[in-house]
Amino acid sequence: MINVTQTFLPPIEEYNAILKRAWEKKWLTNRGELVLELEDKIKNKYHISNILATTNGTLPLQIAIKCLELKGEIITTPFSYIATTSSIIWEGCHPVFVDIDEETFNIDPLKIERAITPKTSAILATHVFGNPCKIDAIAKIAKKHNLKVIYDAAHSFGVSYNNQSIFEYGDVSTCSFHATKIFHTGEGGALFTKDKELYNKLYYHHNFGHKGALDFHGLGINAKISELQAAMGLAVFPYLEAIFERRESLYKRYQKELKGSVQFQKIESNCDYNYSYIPVVFKTEKQLQDVVNLLNNNHIYPRQYFNPSLNTIAYINGDVMPVSESISSRVLCLPLYFDLAEAQVLLISNLIRNCISNE
Ligand SMILES: *Cc1c(COP(=O)(O)O)cnc(C)c1O
């Protein structure tokens, strides 16, 4: 069986050696030495101003909305994982969708200004599949209309834009370290901001609002990452470059094999990409269905990321988003992971090519 992804697991002895440190200290959470070490490693590797590791990649979105004191409408993308939109609603705000660019799959900045109303407080955009948004255009619009910017950078670990970590952009950026993501701690995530004062506020909020043992800075929640999660991150960390390299090579092999048969995502030019996903778009929904059926019959399970387009979900009921809905109905993320063999990429590509040419 070949799934869309397979979690990268470091040698278990290496994981155990790190876990042993937690055992020896009898210290499992509340920002122990493993969490601090993981934060330091990420911060130094990518030259990041401030990082706060968290227990997943969804709470950071909610905490960011809370700490930026956003109200009313938040402009967002319909082409993302549900957490992007559900966080807005969970925080009592209203998601206003703006359609995506059909080549990059990211929110289309040309359509953002039309969606701004006196109630708009922010833009929450996803760097879809790790591909950077039009960051400069979004920053300009935000400045002009006095809006905050949050980037859901759940897929973007390791990506840089204009020679800076992608996490340095926006008022706040968030990441997910979920087991299906390119860098993982089992469950986990992080908050990033260049603003030290805002960082402190995020920090308090992620730990019940605690200011020392007896005092409270204000309202908070529990989004703390544990030592057990950090241990996994530390064990995966030394393999990052090998993971990026392997994925790049498999990604490029897919591109070579499927060139002319499907549409690929257009990656921004001034970025260092992480090859976190290989989405392909078919000409029609029927073509996609035929390919999915054929691959499934061969025990290959790609995923339709992102389908449905978030504006169409019943409890959300947003405006029609023609581009997002069209891409959603025709997009497929093909298997891509460290242990995938090149022969498997060839097998999958051949099945797809044959399926398409039979139509
Ligand atoms: C995975 C993901 C999240 C949520 O991250 P978790 O760590 O699973 O909570 C948020 N946004 C996007 C775009 C994601 O893909």
Side-chain angles (χ1 to χ4, degrees):
M1 186 169 81
I2 304 175
N3 280 324
V4 66
T5 193
Q6 187 183 82
T7 300
F8 177 88
L9 289 175
I12 197 162
E13 311 77 53
E14 293 175 20
Y15 179 54
N16 277 338
I18 299 169
L19 272 183
K20 195 152 177 269
R21 291 167 54 193
W23 253 250
E24 279 160 4
K25 280 201 139 178
K26 300 194 192 304
W27 190 285
L28 294 190
T29 187
N30 287 354
R31 300 183 59 73
E33 67 171 55
L34 300 184
V35 167
L36 299 184
E37 187 176 320
L38 180 64
E39 286 182 345
D40 254 14
K41 284 211 152 121
I42 296 171
K43 196 169 153 170
N44 294 334
K45 183 171 167 70
Y46 296 108
H47 309 289
I48 290 164
S49 310
N50 298 293
I51 172 174
L52 179 63
T54 54
T55 196
N56 60 45
T58 301
L59 280 163
L61 290 167
Q62 295 173 197
I63 292 171
I65 293 168
K66 184 82 82 195
C67 287
L68 290 168
E69 297 175 28
L70 304 182
K71 299 274 178 303
E73 297 171 358
I74 299 179
I75 288 176
T76 191
T77 174
F79 194 73
S80 184
Y81 183 58
I82 186 66
T84 315
T85 296
S86 65
S87 298
I88 294 173
I89 298 172
W90 194 271
E91 290 303 322
C93 297
H94 181 66
V96 172
F97 295 103
V98 164
D99 212 347
I100 59 169
D101 178 276
E102 65 185 332
E103 293 189 323
T104 65
F105 309 159
N106 283 327
I107 195 166
D108 185 346
L110 299 175
K111 294 175 185 156
I112 290 180
E113 276 198 295
R114 267 179 261 161
I116 296 175
T117 75
K119 289 188 194 153
T120 310
S121 60
I123 300 167
L124 199 184
T126 301
H127 301 302
V128 174
F129 304 132
N131 187 26
C133 290
K134 296 276 185 226
I135 288 174
D136 307 313
I138 291 173
K140 221 165 145 185
I141 295 166
K143 192 161 178 222
K144 182 172 160 198
H145 296 273
N146 196 22
L147 306 176
K148 300 292 184 190
V149 178
I150 301 172
Y151 282 116
D152 182 343
H155 307 156
S156 305
F157 195 93
V159 173
S160 62
Y161 176 76
N162 278 343
N163 296 318
Q164 254 196 84
S165 166
I166 191 90
F167 299 141
E168 293 287 278
Y169 296 94
D171 291 285
V172 178
S173 276
T174 66
C175 192
S176 166
F177 303 158
H178 185 260
T180 57
K181 303 298 204 288
I182 195 158
F183 168 74
H184 79 95
T185 57
E187 290 271 4
L191 276 156
F192 304 89
T193 179
K194 286 214 279 203
D195 178 342
K196 187 70 195 175
E197 208 173 309
L198 178 57
Y199 174 84
N200 289 336
K201 193 169 177 184
L202 296 166
Y203 182 95
Y204 287 128
H205 272 75
H206 107 295
N207 184 24
F208 302 101
H210 266 297
K211 190 179 182 182
L214 303 177
D215 199 9
F216 289 91
H217 190 268
L219 182 69
I221 188 123
N222 180 7
K224 282 180 278 102
I225 186 169
S226 74
E227 292 291 272
L228 304 176
Q229 291 164 283
M232 177 58 82
L234 287 170
V236 173
F237 198 85
Y239 296 92
L240 271 172
E241 290 310 316
I243 292 170
F244 292 134
E245 254 174 55
R246 176 74 186 148
R247 298 175 74 114
E248 176 173 0
S249 126
L250 296 171
Y251 182 104
K252 289 185 170 163
R253 191 67 209 246
Y254 269 125
Q255 281 196 318
K256 186 167 161 237
E257 295 300 320
L258 293 173
K259 195 159 179 256
S261 303
V262 296
Q263 177 198 337
F264 295 100
Q265 182 182 27
K266 182 180 167 197
I267 304 298
E268 285 297 323
S269 51
N270 39 358
C271 94
D272 195 6
Y273 187 52
N274 65 357
Y275 304 92
S276 48
Y277 296 84
I278 175 100
V280 296
V281 179
F282 295 91
K283 289 205 176 68
T284 61
E285 194 171 349
K286 175 171 184 306
Q287 202 174 59
L288 169 129
Q289 278 313 333
D290 291 343
V291 166
V292 169
N293 291 340
L294 179 66
L295 292 177
N296 287 175
N297 288 341
N298 285 273
H299 311 287
I300 298 161
Y301 300 94
R303 284 290 293 269
Q304 292 177 51
Y305 296 142
F306 294 103
N307 189 349
S309 183
L310 297 174
N311 56 300
T312 65
I313 291 175
Y315 75 85
I316 295 170
N317 194 21
D319 291 343
V320 173
M321 295 285 129
V323 182
S324 176
E325 288 171 41
S326 167
I327 299 283
S328 280
S329 69
R330 295 179 291 125
V331 71
L332 201 59
C333 280
L334 302 178
L336 182 64
Y337 49 87
F338 185 81
D339 285 320
L340 188 69
E342 198 154 315
Q344 292 173 312
V345 171
L346 290 182
L347 167 72
I348 295 165
S349 302
N350 283 334
L351 286 168
I352 293 174
R353 269 202 319 259
N354 290 340
C355 184
I356 289 177
S357 64
N358 281 341
E359 295 198 339

